[in-house]
Amino acid sequence: MPPTRPRNRRATINDVATAAGLSRGTVSRVVNGERYVSDEARVAVEDAIAKVGYVRNSAARNLVTQESRAIALIIHEPHSLLFEDPNIGSILLGANAVLSKADYQLVSLIIDSDRDSRRVADYLRGGLVDGAVIVSARASDPIASAVRDIGVPAAFVGHPPGTPDLPYVAIDNVAAAFAITQRLVGTGRRRIGMIASAMDRDSGNDRFTGFRAALGERFDASLVVEYPLYTYAAGLEGMQELLRRCPEIDGVFAASDAVAAGAMTALQESGRKVPDDVGIVGFDDSSWALRTRPQLSTVKQPADLLGSTAAELVLAQIRGLPSPVQVLDTTVVWRDSA
């Protein structure tokens, strides 16, 4: 039987002390960023660390400080949607930028089933993270309740009904949907429908509420189709259904840019011209909005700022500081699709 290959021994603080010709206590003070160390000693320790390849043992430090220096990003979405929805990536990058500056590691946890919810809850109970940012929570979401019960500092991106009273950052989806629907009405459209999505979340439900309010007495419930997720496929199928119900439809509000892109494909495949025959608007101002032809009129929401603000709310709680609710601004971006 061939001999087992020995593992490389991890360099220790004693190795650094030997290489630097200094005491273990001096090396420890340098490594921990403490004061009262001469510049010469600090330089010697830093050179020795580079020479022996010393890496600080975070696990041992965490046992002493009872901190993991990690924050969870809990994403409640199907795996397939992670690669289709650019907002999730922007939220992740925004959160990571803030946490990185504060020397925290971002840990992504994806929930795609009830089993995932239980697994993630057990992970949080294990003390492996110091806080959590929760994205795409549903109404009465069990993982949100678990976060509250465990007592982990946490913040929502959005705030669906029936979830715990935790800090959150959001946009005013009702006002934003109202504004872009009014702009669509202003182009002279008479038969306006909506491809609604994610009605079990505040974002989807609120966008529908804003759409309905903007139409007022002109609202026609038969011109609304609903789908569970913000996907291109939902837009494609939803637009086909709206055309079957009302061939003379001339305006559509899609609940997201991905949905709008699918709807635009369905319109073009049916021989309808956008915007001559049907004007269409979306929501997000994501990369989808610039990939369509014509480019999409939409609502710009600051996804990266949502992520960074949520991370700041979590860090504020860890530090014992106030973490008030934050509502960020949106703007209508008008392009050629309507």
Side-chain angles (χ1 to χ4, degrees):
M1 184 175 180
T4 302
R5 182 179 178 181
R7 295 177 60 185
N8 291 332
R9 187 178 72 84
R10 183 188 183 110
T12 68
I13 199 167
N14 291 326
D15 297 323
V16 177
T18 299
L22 297 168
S23 71
R24 188 180 188 281
T26 299
V27 173
S28 180
R29 287 195 294 275
V30 172
V31 170
N32 290 314
E34 296 178 12
R35 300 166 62 188
Y36 311 116
V37 178
S38 69
D39 291 340
E40 293 80 2
R42 193 177 304 278
V43 170
V45 170
E46 290 172 351
D47 288 344
I49 286 173
K51 179 179 179 180
V52 303
Y54 172 75
V55 178
R56 190 175 191 176
N57 190 333
S58 297
R61 177 182 179 275
N62 294 344
L63 287 173
V64 175
T65 63
Q66 296 295 298
E67 292 181 342
S68 68
R69 305 298 296 182
I71 302 296
L73 180 71
I74 302 174
I75 305 169
H76 195 157
E77 293 286 9
H79 298 158
S80 59
L81 192 60
L82 294 178
F83 301 101
E84 183 173 329
D85 188 346
N87 288 316
I88 294 175
S90 295
I91 290 170
L92 184 153
L93 292 174
N96 187 66
V98 167
L99 296 175
S100 178
K101 288 180 181 178
D103 292 325
Y104 278 81
Q105 179 65 42
L106 183 67
V107 179
S108 296
L109 304 174
I110 302 168
I111 296 178
D112 191 14
S113 66
D114 290 341
R115 182 178 180 276
D116 286 341
S117 292
R118 293 190 295 270
R119 172 181 55 79
V120 169
D122 287 342
Y123 182 86
L124 297 176
R125 290 188 188 95
L128 298 173
V129 296
D130 297 332
V133 173
I134 307 172
V135 181
S136 300
R138 273 60 168 169
S140 303
D141 199 323
I143 192 62
S145 297
V147 167
R148 175 202 58 199
D149 295 342
I150 295 166
V152 176
F156 290 107
V157 175
H159 193 236
T163 51
D165 187 19
L166 295 172
Y168 66 89
V169 56
I171 60 171
D172 189 338
N173 282 284
V174 175
F178 184 94
I180 199 164
T181 302
Q182 273 200 325
R183 185 76 180 265
L184 182 61
V185 170
T187 64
R189 313 290 168 174
R190 293 291 177 265
R191 299 287 287 165
I192 299 176
M194 179 178 181
I195 306 174
S197 299
M199 295 289 279
D200 59 346
R201 305 180 219 171
D202 59 321
S203 59
N205 190 65
D206 287 354
R207 290 172 198 180
F208 169 73
T209 299
F211 168 78
R212 181 170 186 165
L215 289 183
E217 294 181 354
R218 296 172 57 182
F219 172 76
D220 184 346
S222 70
L223 296 184
V224 177
V225 292
E226 296 181 21
Y227 291 86
L229 298 172
Y230 296 118
T231 63
Y232 177 91
L236 186 66
E237 183 179 331
M239 192 68 245
Q240 292 167 345
E241 176 61 24
L242 286 176
L243 289 171
R244 282 192 289 270
R245 295 184 186 183
C246 180
E248 64 273 20
I249 192 170
D250 62 359
V252 175
F253 171 41
S256 80
D257 291 347
V259 175
M264 196 177 297
T265 297
L267 287 169
Q268 292 166 343
E269 288 178 348
S270 72
R272 268 74 163 186
K273 294 181 179 179
V274 178
D276 297 347
D277 299 323
V278 182
I280 186 164
V281 298
F283 202 107
D284 292 332
D285 198 28
S286 65
S287 57
W288 281 104
L290 300 179
R291 297 208 304 258
T292 62
R293 293 294 180 270
Q295 292 186 344
L296 189 64
S297 296
T298 185
V299 171
K300 181 177 182 63
Q301 67 163 327
D304 56 342
L305 189 55
L306 287 168
S308 61
T309 304
E312 288 169 352
L313 289 174
V314 173
L315 292 178
Q317 293 171 70
I318 292 172
R319 295 163 181 162
L321 301 174
S323 50
V325 168
Q326 304 281 333
V327 179
L328 306 183
D329 293 333
T330 59
T331 55
V332 171
V333 179
W334 204 253
R335 298 189 179 99
D336 295 333
S337 66

